[in-house]
Amino acid sequence: MNKVPAQREYFLDSIRAWLMLLGIPFHISLIYSSHTWHVNSAESSWWLTLFNDFIHAFRMQVFFVISGYFSYMLFLRYPLKKWWKVRVERVGIPMLTAIPLLTLPQFIMLQYVKGKTETWHTLSLYEKYNTLVWELISHLWFLLVLVILTTVGLGLFSLLRKRLAQQRAAFFAHMTMGKLTIIFLLLGIAYACIRRTLLIVYSPILSDGLFNFVVMQTLFYIPFFVFGALAFIYPRLKDLFTTPSPWCLAGAVVGFAAYLLNQRYGSGDAWMYETESVITMVFGLWMVNVVFSFGHRLLNFQSARVTYFVNASLFIYLVHHPLTLFYGAWITPQISSNTLGFFTGLIFVVGCALVLYEIHLRIPLLRFLFSGKPQVKAEKTAVSVK
């Protein structure tokens, strides 16, 4: 345990907040994209589809690298059990809070919007369970994955600390982006093989919501989480991520083009999803360099405004989803222009989310439930009078 706090990484805090907040334009653009969602505009927009695909292709990979980095930093600060308790409370309590307060009302609203209330009784018991898993976890899936990764991290981080104590850093001392690319390419292929095997052996399992969130999403993102921790341990890895690389930038352009081509010409009945996993595994790695290097150059400073949005980002992310669906169901049909609708949606959702954030700050119970942090009252200093 190391009680000395590490130097504040302002650019990583900012990037993490921006990645969270990108969920707002991502889901609003999804309304106007050619992708089928809960609610869609009458006509799709090519540029909003492209914008949506770009955000979707890299955002969470970069997010989990940052999560791994900060998780290991806190791992060194607390005893093992306290570290697990603190981390699980920070993500688990907001997730459990959001289910009855946000995603359950969201699910009920969608049942009426999509006219499915009359057919609910026709579903089998398993179909009802699986539907509820998909809909109630919804956009909270990454919090569930973080709880699982934190639990797995008890063993993984202990092993990393043991190896660090044995000075086995030679492998990472000579690491290059080329070597990392090969590693992530192989990891992407391994994930694709697992998915294809499951598809052959028992394909219905891939449609099971809980299995998808707990197993498949965790398997895909655990390499990014672990490499985030390794970037904290080994300065060489952090330098690779924060030093601008024209090769990573060029690779990211090629990777995104490959992603779009797979979306356009791939077939879900063939190898489309396996190919996508390989592409996004490598593309995500290259985008870590692109995002970290730009963030390190432009966002590595302390600012009261940035700190506000860093603190507000989780709450805003949690509440934005039902607000977006409300906007898509009842306001989108009233706006004929997709571009105008998109920017109007941003103003509506962000404005409502900020108002709700300020309201929740003034209610201690809600502050605890949506942050997972105990609300400690400031103690008054007693002044002794002689």
Side-chain angles (χ1 to χ4, degrees):
M1 181 179 67
N2 181 12
K3 293 185 178 181
V4 180
Q7 183 179 357
R8 192 72 179 180
E9 301 282 7
Y10 294 111
F11 78 102
L12 290 179
D13 275 333
S14 296
I15 292 172
R16 180 172 56 178
W18 280 111
L19 291 173
M20 281 279 216
L21 296 175
L22 266 180
I24 301 175
F26 168 74
H27 284 113
I28 296 176
S29 64
L30 195 54
I31 297 173
Y32 299 99
S33 72
S34 59
H35 303 300
T36 302
W37 199 41
H38 298 294
V39 289
N40 287 105
S41 58
E43 299 291 336
S44 62
S45 166
W46 70 267
W47 81 266
L48 286 171
T49 301
L50 187 68
F51 177 72
N52 182 268
D53 284 336
F54 178 68
I55 296 176
H56 182 261
F58 80 90
R59 183 170 69 102
M60 297 312 297
Q61 295 93 308
V62 181
F63 175 84
F64 276 103
V65 171
I66 298 175
S67 295
Y69 185 94
F70 283 126
S71 292
Y72 194 84
M73 181 178 70
L74 293 175
F75 177 78
L76 297 180
R77 187 179 302 176
Y78 296 116
L80 195 61
K81 291 183 179 179
K82 184 178 181 181
W83 171 79
W84 183 85
K85 180 176 181 292
V86 168
R87 293 297 296 161
V88 169
E89 285 178 348
R90 295 279 176 88
V91 295
I93 292 176
M95 179 186 70
L96 294 176
T97 298
I99 289 175
L101 296 185
L102 298 176
T103 58
L104 179 57
Q106 170 186 290
F107 169 70
I108 296 172
M109 177 188 74
L110 288 175
Q111 292 299 295
Y112 285 95
V113 169
K114 301 171 77 171
K116 291 187 175 182
T117 53
E118 297 82 2
T119 59
W120 176 256
H121 70 279
T122 65
L123 301 179
S124 67
L125 185 61
Y126 173 75
E127 287 173 333
K128 291 179 179 178
Y129 150 79
N130 198 35
T131 299
L132 286 174
V133 169
W134 282 107
E135 299 294 341
L136 297 188
I137 295 180
S138 183
H139 67 301
L140 311 176
W141 67 267
F142 79 98
L143 295 175
L144 176 60
V145 172
L146 279 176
V147 170
I148 297 168
L149 289 177
T150 299
T151 303
V152 173
L154 288 170
L156 283 178
F157 287 0
S158 297
L159 179 62
L160 289 177
R161 183 165 57 182
K162 180 180 179 181
R163 288 184 175 272
L164 181 63
Q166 296 173 351
Q167 299 298 316
R168 296 182 180 178
F171 178 76
F172 295 101
H174 304 287
M175 183 59 66
T176 64
M177 284 304 301
K179 292 179 181 178
L180 278 179
T181 298
I182 294 173
I183 291 172
F184 274 77
L185 175 63
L186 294 175
L187 288 170
I189 293 173
Y191 179 87
C193 290
I194 292 172
R195 189 187 187 283
R196 176 55 56 165
T197 301
L198 291 172
L199 186 65
I200 294 171
V201 174
Y202 186 62
S203 60
I205 195 68
L206 295 175
S207 300
D208 184 272
L210 195 60
F211 182 83
N212 181 274
F213 295 131
V214 172
V215 178
M216 300 307 291
Q217 296 284 49
T218 300
L219 284 176
F220 184 82
Y221 289 108
I222 195 170
F224 296 95
F225 186 78
V226 171
F227 268 84
L230 291 171
F232 182 86
I233 298 171
Y234 301 109
R236 172 60 181 167
L237 278 180
K238 184 179 177 182
D239 289 342
L240 284 176
F241 291 147
T242 56
T243 302
S245 168
W247 293 109
C248 283
L249 183 58
V253 173
V254 174
F256 183 54
Y259 177 84
L260 292 177
L261 289 172
N262 186 58
Q263 289 283 312
R264 175 67 177 81
Y265 298 105
S267 170
D269 296 329
W271 292 80
M272 175 182 172
Y273 296 111
E274 287 80 6
T275 304
E276 179 180 309
S277 65
V278 176
I279 293 172
T280 51
M281 186 73 75
V282 178
F283 177 64
L285 171 68
W286 290 333
M287 284 302 295
V288 170
N289 173 269
V290 173
V291 174
F292 276 31
S293 59
F294 276 99
H296 189 260
R297 178 180 297 179
L298 302 176
L299 301 174
N300 200 23
F301 59 88
Q302 186 175 12
S303 164
R305 185 175 301 175
V306 172
T307 301
Y308 175 86
F309 280 101
V310 167
N311 294 331
S313 59
L314 176 58
F315 179 88
I316 292 175
Y317 179 83
L318 292 177
V319 302
H320 91 276
H321 201 262
L323 289 172
T324 301
L325 290 171
F326 176 88
Y327 177 83
W330 282 289
I331 302 178
T332 292
Q334 312 305 319
I335 304 174
S336 58
S337 169
N338 286 341
T339 300
L340 178 61
F342 171 73
F343 286 106
T344 303
L346 281 179
I347 295 171
F348 173 82
V349 172
V350 173
C352 291
L354 286 174
V355 170
L356 292 173
Y357 176 69
E358 287 296 329
I359 292 173
H360 113 285
L361 286 179
R362 290 156 176 78
I363 305 175
L365 177 60
L366 288 180
R367 288 179 62 185
F368 167 70
L369 291 176
F370 280 100
S371 70
K373 300 178 183 178
Q375 304 303 310
V376 181
K377 294 182 180 180
E379 296 181 359
K380 295 182 179 180
T381 305
V383 179
S384 57
V385 180
K386 293 183 180 180

